[in-house]
Amino acid sequence: MAAYLASVWGCRYFWLSLVRMDLRNRYRGSMLGIGWSLAHPLAATLVICAVYYRLLQADVTEFVPFLLAGLACWNYLVGVTLSGCQCFLQAEPYIRQHALPLAIYPLRTMLGSTVHLCLALLVVLALTAVLRGLPNPAVLLILVPTIALLMLFGWSVGVLAGFVNTVFRDTHHLLEVSFQILFYLSAVIYPKELLYQNDLGWLAAGNPLVAFQSLIRDPVLHGSLPNGSDIVLAFAVVGVMTAAAIAVVRYGSKHLIHYL
Amino acid sequence: MAAVFLENVHLTFRVRQQYQITLKEYLLRGMFRASRNPIREIHALRDVGLRLRAGDRFGIIGGNGAGKSTLLKLLAGIYAPTRGTRRVVGRISSLFELSLGFEMEASGRQNILYRGYLQGETPRSMRKKLDEIAEFSELGEFLDTPVRYYSAGMLVRLAFSIATAIEPEILLVDEVLSAGDLSFQEKARKRMREMMSKAQILVVVSHDLDSLRRICDRGIWLDHGQVRAEGPIDQVITAYTSHVEHRRAA
């Protein structure tokens, strides 16, 4: 494994240049440039706030940062998974010519999504500071390991989604539909406490997508360290996904090219 | 010192007859009826053995579909052997399908960097090579234009200029013995010769038997994935051509 990671590091100039190119190509010639990646969660927040804050009887100064933090995390999780689906298909010309470690291609998509996550989190922090003040700035340091954990999760999910989608091309579409459903079940636009209050706590209790959001929301919005059970669940899921990704890379690297 | 060893290498492709398997077909196969899209096994390479050491100039010949390019890709590590052993000491550089892998929205200059990094270069080494590659390609101010505006010939020129700017230990070449228009070809041949002479081990696949005779000292003739002849390149080429002539006469 160490040798494999060393080989990934060995071709860092290549995958870093691909990440830079992806970001440049995505916003080439557009008016807002990378600002478009922020426009999406901001527009979604505006629309959802306009409708839901009355339904949920929430205070706008509380609800906007809550929603934006949730959307920042959600968009990252959806982004790494769906772009991960395409990572090997997109890299086919490279894979057919050079025997580089395959894990660099999901790494490429994950790093692109991470740039957007970090930008979105900066907006969350700025808006929270303006609207209600940051309750405990020192606790925000926990966001650094949280982002690292999300990156590992994103890399692992990218590997898995990429391999499965290369073999079964329906995977991307299935995941898109699944995320659509999960969006409403994963307490993105409402507090997870609502689920517990309405005997739907099981939807939140074992849902890693809820746990990941809590890892970001708790320090930013409440100035507290994330809940222990959320941390355990997030680590457990990342651990399982990472182990699965390592196994898939070990076994699947030899065979992937036959499915391209 | 660079070295390449293949021992009793087999490579089998398991391909679907019509299209890729769908998730539905994978989950339901055999439950209600036999698949209309069964797996077919293609033995691309059978029991191939090779021992190459520093200084070797090795040619691979054979008809279309004989497994030449597949063997080269196996040597490059792109395909893993289904059975047998592949051992390589040294850094492999490969010249396969030159025009593949361009980033069409990026400029020629940016593509020089991407492909340089893909070949194992660093920003420092590319700084030294960038101007030399740009000059060799003769693309001038087009290098600052996205490559999607390039003609096929310009793409090949650029690809060739980048691909041949490396200093390889083990060089694998698949039919890339010339590139571009007439004026560029002579320059390209010279550059190719220079690069080949720098490589510790050279493996070339080509249908141009005269070029192989000039470049290589040893070789193999592959037929349906099997080694039909191995040894000094002259003997291997003679065995291959007499076989082809014999078949033509029959």
Side-chain angles (χ1 to χ4, degrees):
Chain A
M1 197 60 211
Y4 190 82
L5 288 176
S7 66
V8 169
W9 181 246
C11 48
R12 64 192 175 281
Y13 300 116
F14 175 59
W15 49 260
L16 281 172
S17 69
L18 291 182
V19 174
R20 270 197 298 273
M21 183 189 60
D22 287 344
L23 292 171
R24 225 184 343 239
N25 284 349
R26 189 160 164 182
Y27 303 109
R28 187 186 294 269
S30 71
M31 191 176 59
L32 293 181
I34 205 157
W36 280 116
S37 71
L38 304 176
H40 176 239
L42 281 172
T45 303
L46 201 70
V47 171
I48 295 169
C49 271
V51 179
Y52 282 84
Y53 89 97
R54 277 179 188 276
L55 292 178
L56 299 170
Q57 295 170 336
D59 175 3
V60 174
T61 58
E62 295 282 331
F63 194 55
V64 168
F66 167 83
L67 191 55
L68 209 50
L71 284 174
C73 183
W74 180 261
N75 287 341
Y76 171 78
L77 298 171
V78 175
V80 285
T81 312
L82 296 184
S83 59
C85 282
Q86 304 298 335
C87 66
F88 297 122
L89 298 175
Q90 188 185 15
E92 183 181 345
Y94 299 127
I95 296 172
R96 287 196 178 281
Q97 290 187 80
H98 294 271
L100 298 179
L102 289 176
I104 65 170
Y105 302 110
L107 180 63
R108 163 195 186 176
T109 53
M110 179 275 285
L111 287 173
S113 299
T114 304
V115 170
H116 293 122
L117 170 70
C118 291
L119 285 171
L121 285 180
L122 286 177
V123 175
V124 171
L125 290 174
L127 262 175
T128 310
V130 170
L131 290 174
R132 47 182 294 209
L134 291 167
N136 187 356
V139 166
L140 294 178
L141 285 174
I142 194 76
L143 288 179
V144 177
T146 298
I147 291 171
L149 191 71
L150 284 171
M151 286 172 78
L152 185 56
F153 178 77
W155 194 6
S156 309
V157 164
V159 168
L160 296 171
F163 268 93
V164 177
N165 189 61
T166 305
V167 179
F168 304 114
R169 304 291 164 94
D170 308 309
T171 309
H172 184 266
H173 304 293
L174 278 172
L175 284 172
E176 244 175 347
V177 174
S178 307
F179 274 119
Q180 197 92 49
I181 297 165
L182 286 169
F183 180 77
Y184 295 102
L185 301 179
S186 301
V188 183
I189 54 174
Y190 53 83
K192 64 179 178 185
E193 289 73 23
L194 273 184
L195 291 172
Y196 288 102
Q197 287 161 16
N198 291 284
D199 295 331
L200 290 168
W202 56 272
L203 277 176
N207 186 343
L209 301 173
V210 176
F212 285 131
Q213 290 178 78
S214 298
L215 294 191
I216 288 177
R217 277 175 170 156
D218 287 349
V220 176
L221 306 176
H222 309 127
S224 62
L225 288 173
N227 191 310
S229 59
D230 288 331
I231 295 175
V232 170
L233 180 58
F235 267 93
V237 168
V238 173
V240 169
M241 296 303 253
T242 307
I246 291 169
V248 164
V249 165
R250 270 204 183 145
Y251 172 75
S253 289
K254 285 181 187 172
H255 305 286
L256 186 88
I257 192 160
H258 302 303
Y259 292 95
L260 286 170
Chain B
M1 292 291 260
V4 176
F5 302 104
L6 293 186
E7 277 172 46
N8 311 111
V9 161
H10 293 254
L11 178 63
T12 307
F13 294 135
R14 288 163 58 86
V15 294
R16 298 255 158 204
Q17 242 162 20
Q18 296 162 30
Y19 49 82
Q20 254 195 318
I21 190 169
T22 64
L23 189 57
K24 184 185 90 179
E25 195 176 341
Y26 180 79
L27 294 174
L28 299 182
R29 69 177 161 186
M31 281 175 94
F32 305 111
R33 62 182 176 203
S35 173
R36 281 185 291 183
N37 182 22
I39 292 175
R40 226 178 98 212
E41 290 204 338
I42 297 172
H43 294 278
L45 296 173
R46 294 167 195 258
D47 201 19
V48 176
L50 277 184
R51 277 172 184 271
L52 305 176
R53 297 186 184 280
D56 281 344
R57 300 287 178 264
F58 198 79
I60 303 174
I61 58 174
N64 290 327
K68 307 182 295 295
S69 299
T70 304
L71 175 57
L72 214 55
K73 287 189 172 178
L74 187 134
L75 289 174
I78 293 167
Y79 294 131
T82 313
R83 254 190 301 150
T85 316
R86 166 191 174 272
R87 270 191 303 134
V88 172
V89 183
R91 201 181 89 178
I92 290 183
S93 305
S94 47
L95 299 184
F96 298 151
E97 296 144 85
L98 280 186
S99 301
L100 274 183
F102 272 109
E103 295 296 340
M104 301 313 271
E105 290 303 321
S107 69
R109 221 172 275 280
Q110 286 166 336
N111 269 289
I112 292 176
L113 289 177
Y114 302 146
R115 290 176 82 108
Y117 298 149
L118 178 64
Q119 290 169 183
E121 300 289 344
T122 64
R124 183 182 288 182
S125 66
M126 283 310 290
R127 263 196 297 278
K128 287 181 200 158
K129 288 181 179 173
L130 191 64
D131 290 340
E132 191 268 321
I133 293 170
E135 194 185 328
F136 188 85
S137 71
E138 297 175 2
L139 289 169
E141 58 194 26
F142 282 107
L143 282 171
D144 296 312
T145 309
V147 297
R148 73 188 157 102
Y149 296 118
Y150 285 22
S151 67
M154 288 162 80
L155 273 181
V156 171
R157 267 183 188 221
L158 182 61
F160 185 87
S161 307
I162 305 165
T164 53
I166 46 176
E167 282 144 31
E169 287 179 359
I170 301 166
L171 179 62
L172 311 177
V173 183
D174 192 353
E175 291 286 5
V176 195
L177 295 174
S178 64
D181 54 25
L182 271 177
S183 66
F184 192 75
Q185 271 181 19
E186 187 47 42
K187 217 169 100 166
R189 269 191 219 111
K190 190 174 165 226
R191 169 107 148 192
M192 199 70 195
R193 279 197 297 272
E194 278 171 15
M195 189 173 71
M196 286 174 171
S197 66
K198 282 183 201 161
Q200 290 185 34
I201 293 176
L202 172 71
V203 184
V204 187
V205 164
S206 181
H207 289 289
D208 182 352
L209 302 180
D210 289 334
S211 292
L212 286 182
R213 242 187 259 272
R214 276 198 307 274
I215 298 166
C216 303
D217 43 30
R218 290 171 55 212
I220 52 168
W221 160 29
L222 277 182
D223 186 27
H224 291 96
Q226 278 180 305
V227 178
R228 290 286 296 268
E230 184 181 0
I233 193 74
D234 283 331
Q235 286 177 19
V236 173
I237 289 176
T238 306
Y240 173 57
T241 48
S242 56
H243 169 79
V244 172
E245 277 159 18
H246 179 73
R247 274 183 55 183
R248 222 181 265 155

